[in-house]
Amino acid sequence: MPKSQELHKTDRQLKLKVDQVGLLCSMYYENDTSIATLIDADHVEIKIAATGLNFKDLMISLGQIPFYHEPGIEAAVFIINVGSDIIDLQVGDGVCAFGRDCYTSLTRTL
C-alpha cells in the first residue's frame, strides 16, 4: 500500500506510478532503477526541480484519453551529468526539458 513520502530524497530515485487509470488517488511514487547504468555519450542526466501538470496529463490520468505513457511532459531541471559527446551544456545549468516521465526525481534525455 502506498504511503506518504518525501519526493526529493537524496538517497534514492523516485518516479510516478499510476496504479489504476481513472483514479487519481492511485498515483504514487515508487523506486526508479532505470538509470543505474553509465550515461550514454549523447545523453544528459537531469534532476527535476518542477514538473508542469497540463490538461493532457490530467485527462490521461482520469482515463479520458488513451494512456500511452506516464504523465509529465515538461519540467524545469538542473543538469547533473553529461555524456562525452555533449559540448553545449554543462553540469549545473538550469534548463527546460520536454519529454516523457517528467514526474520523477532524476532522468536522462537526448
Side-chain angles (χ1 to χ4, degrees):
M1 172 174 234
K3 63 179 181 175
S4 295
Q5 57 187 328
E6 294 177 38
L7 174 58
H8 294 288
K9 292 184 168 247
T10 58
D11 60 335
R12 65 183 179 148
Q13 300 161 20
L14 299 171
K15 68 177 179 177
L16 184 68
K17 172 74 173 162
V18 179
D19 199 39
Q20 185 173 348
V21 175
L23 292 177
L24 294 180
C25 64
S26 75
M27 300 168 78
Y28 63 95
Y29 284 91
E30 67 180 4
N31 290 327
D32 181 10
T33 59
S34 64
I35 60 171
T37 60
L38 294 175
I39 190 169
D40 291 337
D42 61 345
H43 280 73
V44 175
E45 193 168 87
I46 54 178
K47 180 175 181 164
I48 308 292
T51 303
L53 175 64
N54 61 49
F55 185 71
K56 184 176 180 182
D57 291 335
L58 185 59
M59 291 294 100
I60 289 171
S61 300
L62 290 172
Q64 299 300 308
I65 58 176
F67 189 83
Y68 298 116
H69 57 81
E70 300 291 337
I73 59 171
E74 72 264 352
V77 304
F78 291 99
I79 296 174
I80 60 170
N81 196 2
V82 294
S84 59
D85 290 349
I86 305 298
I87 57 172
D88 55 346
L89 298 170
Q90 297 178 359
V91 172
D93 286 351
V95 296
C96 181
F98 295 93
R100 292 190 173 167
D101 302 330
C102 287
Y103 281 102
T104 183
S105 54
L106 190 68
T107 193
R108 289 186 180 160
T109 187
L110 291 171

